[in-house]
Amino acid sequence: MYFERWQIVVEGLLLAALAAATLCLFQPGDALAITAALAVAYLVPRIFYTSRSWCTRTGRIVFGLLSAMMVALAVLTIWNDTVSLNLPLSQPHLSSDDGIYYRWARHYFDGSCPAPNTAFIGFPLLMLATWKVFGMSIVWPLALNVMFTLVTVVVAAAITVRLLRERVKQSDRWLATLALCLTATLMFFISQGLRIQKEAIIYLAMSLLGYVLAGMNGRTSHAQNRKWHDLALWTVSCAILALGRNTYLYFVALGLIIVGISYWQANARKAAWLMLIVIGAFIIGNVLARYSVEGHIDIVKGGYYMQKQYLGSDVQQPYLDFVGKYFYYPVWQRLLLLPLTCAVQFIIPFPWLYGNFEILSYFPRIAWGWYIIGGIALFYFFTMSWRRGMNMGTWAWWPVSIYVIIAYVIAGTVSRYILPVEPMAVPIAVYVIAKLREGVMCRTFKWWAVIFVVVLVITLIVCYHIQLSYLNDLDNYYHSLMQ
């Protein structure tokens, strides 16, 4: 109780600091809107976390620090995209997918710009809904994404507890706290919650689906008394994916097959109902999305468009020298390249920047958290997953299957696509750590850790020099053309 009172006092001081900072950077009305929106974006996941039986003091502190960092960076993001360029909050300067989604919502809000083509309308539709209530501004969708990301961090802890409480000796509180702390280190994952993109709603949907599947990860489901709760979460999450990125529903069906078939007697009826929901959501999403099933097949097949889209930029030339015309290769040849494409997907974006340092640009490149979690998860798959009595069930094969499929389809060139999977590597890493505390395979893990770190460091050094050499050659080439 003493700690909780102090937490409320600290939260009040931080709220006052947020209000003061926004008043210095923005007009009073805009400052009030930003403060209120970001306060709600923090309070919803905070209440969700503190209402759990496995909430701990350490978890509160870590969650508070993560939230404070995200709120501060959100304010900086809003300022960079608007006031620093003498633009109002309703007309920010956004590029790439951010700009496409914002223009789509603007078109249907007031018709002030043409409607751009967008593959999935879920996130811009959500943005439009907030504008209908609060008015057009960058603040509302950004605050929603901050909230969805923070909720996903808490859901990752919930997944860990649900998966592992009957498989390890540690308490729920220990499992949840470690899971929350690990998830908070995934900076690339966190950074996309500060963008006007669909990643945050996909995070939330995939994590909730992972939570439901975790309840089926056993011969006797320990969540039978929550079947209607799970059904509601599943339905809402599938609806989000149908509108937000319906191609991920393929992965949802795959997860249901992996987990459901393995424990069919316990989960047959539940799995059948859940699969019907997936199929219905996919049909609806397929009608509304720009890409049909035929388009999905073309993406998997590869060809000219995929080669140009995913291996067509100058900075990818060193990688292109290794894989060549990857998207023209037959299936067997691309399968042979999976170790390379999976490794590339794991290691990028590289943890460095060339040129001027900017916190918002460097933030996604703070990769050590992912390298640690991913390295521990790899130890599980290589040394524990195939041993009888030592694995954590079939659920763990679902996120790794998604990872491998994405690496195969896009040659590992866009790590942003695997971000919804990264929090699902956390329960696997927590399981390994819990087993190590029980004295299981400690010596093997020490050797694995040493080898993994050495290989990772050597790889990063080699990649740094290859990329630096290529960029220098490119600069010299353009300089010679200028002369």
Side-chain angles (χ1 to χ4, degrees):
M1 186 64 69
Y2 177 78
F3 177 82
E4 292 177 1
R5 287 199 296 267
W6 269 106
Q7 183 181 13
I8 294 173
V9 170
V10 172
E11 287 171 339
L13 292 174
L14 289 175
L15 180 62
L18 173 63
T22 53
L23 280 170
C24 292
L25 296 172
F26 304 94
Q27 295 296 321
D30 292 339
L32 178 62
I34 294 170
T35 301
L38 292 177
V40 172
Y42 163 70
L43 283 174
V44 170
R46 188 267 202 196
I47 293 171
F48 174 44
Y49 175 59
T50 54
S51 65
R52 302 301 94 187
S53 62
W54 32 259
C55 173
T56 64
R57 180 179 299 183
T58 300
R60 286 171 180 261
I61 293 172
V62 172
F63 184 78
L65 291 173
L66 173 63
S67 301
M69 180 186 69
M70 287 199 71
V71 166
L73 290 173
V75 172
L76 179 59
T77 298
I78 296 170
W79 186 83
N80 273 356
D81 292 337
T82 57
V83 173
S84 69
L85 303 172
N86 294 318
L87 295 172
L89 269 59
S90 60
Q91 298 179 26
H93 174 72
L94 300 171
S95 59
S96 189
D97 289 347
D98 305 56
I100 292 173
Y101 296 142
Y102 203 89
R103 291 197 303 275
W104 189 97
R106 278 185 62 187
H107 172 80
Y108 289 99
F109 181 73
D110 61 10
S112 59
C113 65
N117 289 327
T118 180
F120 309 110
I121 65 170
F123 179 66
L125 194 63
L126 179 63
M127 193 186 317
L128 179 62
T130 63
W131 291 356
K132 291 293 185 180
V133 178
F134 301 109
M136 186 168 67
S137 172
I138 186 180
V139 173
W140 318 120
L142 187 61
L144 280 177
N145 278 354
V146 170
M147 182 178 70
F148 293 152
T149 304
L150 290 173
V151 170
T152 302
V153 172
V154 180
V155 175
I159 294 173
T160 304
V161 171
R162 201 176 205 192
L163 275 173
L164 305 185
R165 59 163 37 126
E166 297 175 3
R167 298 178 183 272
V168 298
K169 297 178 181 179
Q170 280 70 28
S171 68
D172 290 357
R173 290 163 62 86
W174 185 91
L175 294 171
T177 302
L178 180 57
L180 190 144
C181 292
L182 289 177
T183 309
T185 68
L186 296 172
M187 291 297 114
F188 189 18
F189 161 83
I190 296 296
S191 73
Q192 297 310 293
L194 301 167
R195 298 287 301 273
I196 307 298
Q197 291 188 358
K198 59 183 176 292
E199 264 60 37
I201 62 170
I202 308 304
Y203 294 167
L204 181 60
M206 290 295 287
S207 64
L208 291 174
L209 292 165
Y211 177 80
V212 175
L213 289 176
M216 301 168 64
N217 188 51
R219 298 191 183 281
T220 55
S221 174
H222 48 69
Q224 291 298 322
N225 60 340
R226 306 191 72 188
K227 59 183 179 180
W228 295 112
H229 173 267
D230 284 356
L231 187 65
L233 290 179
W234 188 271
T235 303
V236 170
S237 300
C238 286
I240 292 172
L241 289 182
L243 297 176
R245 183 177 272 163
N246 76 315
T247 49
Y248 270 57
L249 287 170
Y250 290 119
F251 298 142
V252 178
L254 176 63
L256 195 54
I257 292 169
I258 289 174
V259 177
I261 288 182
S262 301
Y263 310 105
W264 186 252
Q265 290 182 338
N267 298 310
R269 181 177 296 181
K270 183 176 181 179
W273 279 108
L274 297 184
M275 186 61 79
L276 285 175
I277 294 171
V278 174
I279 294 171
F282 182 82
I283 292 171
I284 295 171
N286 193 55
V287 171
L288 297 174
R290 185 172 69 184
Y291 299 118
S292 63
V293 174
E294 292 78 10
H296 303 162
I297 294 172
D298 289 339
I299 289 172
V300 175
K301 285 182 177 178
Y304 171 78
Y305 170 79
M306 294 294 289
Q307 187 76 19
K308 182 180 179 181
Q309 180 78 7
Y310 293 104
L311 282 173
S313 66
D314 289 340
V315 295
Q316 292 173 315
Q317 187 60 46
Y319 182 45
L320 182 60
D321 292 339
F322 280 99
V323 297
K325 295 192 174 184
Y326 175 87
F327 294 100
Y328 291 95
Y329 293 157
V331 173
W332 67 266
Q333 195 167 355
R334 284 198 267 177
L335 288 175
L336 288 177
L337 286 170
L338 265 179
L340 175 62
T341 55
C342 285
V344 169
Q345 189 167 259
F346 180 90
I347 205 170
I348 61 174
F350 293 122
W352 58 74
L353 276 173
Y354 297 106
N356 295 330
F357 174 86
E358 294 182 6
I359 184 62
L360 292 176
S361 297
Y362 185 70
F363 193 58
R365 296 176 179 273
I366 304 174
W368 61 269
W370 167 241
Y371 293 159
I372 292 173
I373 295 168
I376 297 174
L378 284 174
F379 175 81
Y380 169 80
F381 288 110
F382 282 117
T383 67
M384 301 176 72
S385 61
W386 48 272
R387 296 176 187 266
R388 185 181 297 274
M390 197 177 291
N391 65 70
M392 55 182 288
T394 57
W395 184 94
W397 291 104
W398 179 47
V400 78
S401 297
I402 298 174
Y403 182 97
V404 171
I405 291 169
I406 292 175
Y408 171 84
V409 171
I410 61 169
T413 55
V414 186
S415 289
R416 180 164 58 91
Y417 292 167
I418 65 156
L419 291 180
V421 180
E422 285 191 1
M424 287 189 280
V426 169
I428 303 171
V430 172
Y431 178 77
V432 173
I433 296 171
K435 285 299 182 183
L436 291 174
R437 289 195 71 190
E438 296 172 16
V440 177
M441 301 189 73
C442 294
R443 183 178 178 84
T444 305
F445 180 79
K446 289 176 183 177
W447 280 107
W448 169 269
V450 171
I451 294 171
F452 178 81
V453 170
V454 170
V455 171
L456 178 64
V457 170
I458 292 174
T459 302
L460 288 173
I461 291 172
V462 170
C463 289
Y464 176 83
H465 286 288
I466 289 175
Q467 190 179 19
L468 181 62
S469 176
Y470 175 75
L471 291 176
N472 287 336
D473 291 343
L474 199 62
D475 286 342
N476 292 335
Y477 172 73
Y478 286 128
H479 183 71
S480 64
L481 290 179
M482 295 283 292
Q483 293 178 337

